[in-house]
Amino acid sequence: MATQSSHSQQLMRSERRMFSASDDSAMMKQIQSTHLPDGRFLDVKPILQVIDNVLRHLTPTIDHHALNGGQGHMDAIDDSSATMDSNGMLEALAFLVHKISCEISCKCSGGGDAHATTMVLLNTLSSYSWDAKVVLTLAAFAVNFGECWLVLQLCTTNSLAKSVALLKQLPDILEYSHTLKPQFDALHKLIKAMMEVTKCIVEFTELPSQYISSDVPPMSIAVAHIPTAAYWTIRSVVACAAQITSLVGTRYEFVTSTSEAWELSSLAHKVCNIHEHLQKILQLCHQHIDEKKQTESYEGLKHSFGTPQLDNSKILLKIFSLSKEDPHSLLGPEKTKVHVEVLRRKHVLLLISDLDITHEEIQVLESLYKYDRVTSEVNYEIVWLPIVDRSAWNDSYQQKFLSLQSMMPWYTVNHPSIIEPAVVKYTREVWNFVKKPIGVTLDPLGKMTCPNALNMLWIWGNTAFPFTTDREASLWKAEAWTVELLVDGLEPNLSNWVRQEKVICLYGGEEMEWIESFTSATKNVAQFLGIGLEMVYVGKSNAKERVKKITGLINERQLSHAWQDANVWFFWKRLESMLFSKTQHGKTNEIDVIKQEVMTLLGYDGSEQGWAVFFSGTDMVRAKGDKVLNAIQSFEQWEDMARVSGFVSAIRGHLEGIADEHHCTRLILPGISGGIAETVVCAECGRTMEMYFMYRCCVE
């Protein structure tokens, strides 16, 4: 709103300079003094449409080809609809239009002063609104000279028209048509400018008063300058009439003069400038109206969500900007248009994203939606709500949208353009959508039950249904920090390893030399102790290509197990989701072991080093790359303890006894909806970490 206000102020200064350059205050007072409206309403739109059709027939005639008998393509225009709408109205106004027509003809034939003639017309029309004054004057002009040009067009093929043309001396115009071209071109430009200003004035009168007031900018600027615009439009009508009258029955010596063409061109330039400035004001008015409408829609959406509903139909109609008359702008799983009623009284997950949603996210959701949902007998539907910048939309975005839409086996909007700005605002301000996809869940009554159920889906899958915050809290109460929670179904052999009481090591990083040293040393220690050991490389987030190369080398050299791309991505995605889920539930790091451990692993991932975490039953230990490698390589120092208390307990005791003189721990989190805890504790030393902002673009 502040921006619009500054635009209005700039425009007001510009308008003041523009309109006052030649229109002194005395003349403006004279113009205003003629305006004594009696409150009558005249719908000028149908009349203006007829005028437009007449003048569009007329202006193509003002060229060399039409003057020599051509009918022009405009004759094919169908005026029937405009005629039917305006017939009754024009019948009532016929006398007034005739009176104005006679006034124009009389004054122009007598060579009267243009300003004086314009003021006479304004006085004649004093009881009408400004838009009606201009339209009625144009109607009189169209009657007079529409007849004239009709005779001119028919005079070569119709004997009656030829006789009338002879009486009016119109053949002289045909004879000197080449010489008259500058006058005709100037007439064409001025008539076009007059129509544009008139349409603009009429459009101002049609603006909805419930959204814009004439007392404040930008509408008040328009109200102040419409009288001037009306004056110069009517004066232009007088000038056009005078020019055409002067051409009838003239002789060659007069026709060769080009001063009239110059005068018309100057007037056309002024009227075009008036139109340009009015258009700027009109654009600001439309922006103001759009903002008011969007505010109304936004508040209406908030009210709907805050009001108990009988079902979710009303809410969904508002979200997808559908009307009850046309509720078919959704595409179903089969990519055919469906009625929004198919979602009535169902649990609905709104998948909200931009066009950068990853294929991995779609693939995991597809698995949960198409397969796990059926086998687990949970009943919910997913609807994709793509949030895009309408102003930047192009063919490339269109193709990207269609490509993503084709991958999704759930409901989607037919096109992002149906999503109103008010809905976009609601997703950002209430549901906190920024960049990362979120999944807002609605129950069968349309009540929002979770601001982002994707976290639950990534962590527990469909077990989290019906995806409420209460369900999320209960699931966390049943969890502990175990290898099963960390790995879930990503490793098919996990349950066997746990049952066989093997030590399970997950490790990551992207330094191949460290990986080789660490895996070799660890396997040697396990062999020496005679314990079962399974090692799994889980890669690194946001380093897909580098991790893929390392995975290939690990498999080739048989250093350990190594997951494929999709599992690596999902491992880190689940860790992020655990952190965001915990944060939304307001747990602090100090008392929430799971959250602390998750943040530790994410901190390891943000470092330049490798890292490792060991599990043996409920026992666990983790450390950064060099520290854990040195501990493994110093096995002889804790060998005895390992034989007594076990591998994990012994190495943990050894690591706790090592003084860490220097460390630099970083925790890099992606932009998310919702907040991150103000206080984050360092995993290495327990001190509160400093908060920084980092912007990263990482393209491999």
Side-chain angles (χ1 to χ4, degrees), residues 60-116:
T61 311
I62 307 176
D63 60 39
H64 172 66
H65 300 293
L67 285 169
N68 284 282
Q71 293 295 307
H73 69 280
M74 299 303 293
D75 287 344
I77 295 175
D78 180 13
D79 300 343
S80 58
S81 61
T83 303
M84 287 188 294
D85 291 341
S86 56
N87 190 44
M89 191 182 306
L90 286 171
E91 185 178 353
L93 295 168
F95 176 76
L96 180 59
V97 171
H98 178 70
K99 181 179 179 181
I100 298 169
S101 176
C102 292
E103 195 75 56
I104 292 173
S105 298
C106 179
K107 297 293 183 182
C108 292
S109 299
D113 175 66
H115 171 68

Side-chain angles (χ1 to χ4, degrees), residues 218-362:
M219 191 62 184
S220 61
I221 306 174
V223 170
H225 295 304
I226 282 176
T228 305
Y231 168 84
W232 283 107
T233 304
I234 295 173
R235 183 160 171 170
S236 297
V237 170
V238 173
C240 287
Q243 176 67 73
I244 296 174
T245 300
S246 72
L247 296 176
V248 177
T250 56
R251 301 265 57 90
Y252 175 76
E253 61 274 10
F254 181 83
V255 167
T256 55
S257 172
T258 59
S259 61
E260 292 85 0
W262 182 87
E263 290 172 4
L264 290 181
S265 295
S266 297
L267 197 52
H269 179 71
K270 181 177 184 67
V271 177
C272 283
N273 281 342
I274 290 173
H275 174 253
E276 181 182 336
H277 285 277
L278 287 180
Q279 278 292 105
K280 290 178 181 177
I281 304 173
L282 190 60
Q283 185 179 9
L284 281 177
C285 287
H286 282 302
Q287 290 176 3
H288 178 89
I289 292 168
D290 286 344
E291 288 174 2
K292 290 287 186 181
K293 285 183 176 179
Q294 293 308 325
T295 299
E296 182 180 79
S297 297
Y298 177 76
E299 293 301 325
L301 191 59
K302 285 177 66 176
H303 180 265
S304 294
F305 270 109
T307 306
Q309 305 288 328
L310 295 176
D311 58 40
N312 57 3
S313 299
K314 182 179 179 180
I315 294 290
L316 293 175
L317 286 171
K318 284 182 175 289
I319 290 173
F320 300 113
S321 309
L322 306 177
S323 65
K324 291 183 179 178
E325 293 74 26
D326 181 26
H328 295 88
S329 292
L330 289 180
L331 293 187
E334 304 302 322
K335 303 307 177 228
T336 56
K337 282 191 175 183
V338 296
H339 196 290
V340 72
E341 189 72 11
V342 298
L343 300 173
R344 184 172 178 267
R345 288 191 172 275
K346 288 187 177 181
H347 290 272
V348 175
L349 186 148
L350 300 174
L351 176 60
I352 302 172
S353 77
D354 57 17
L355 298 184
D356 291 327
I357 184 172
T358 66
H359 290 189
E360 289 89 349
E361 286 167 314
I362 295 174

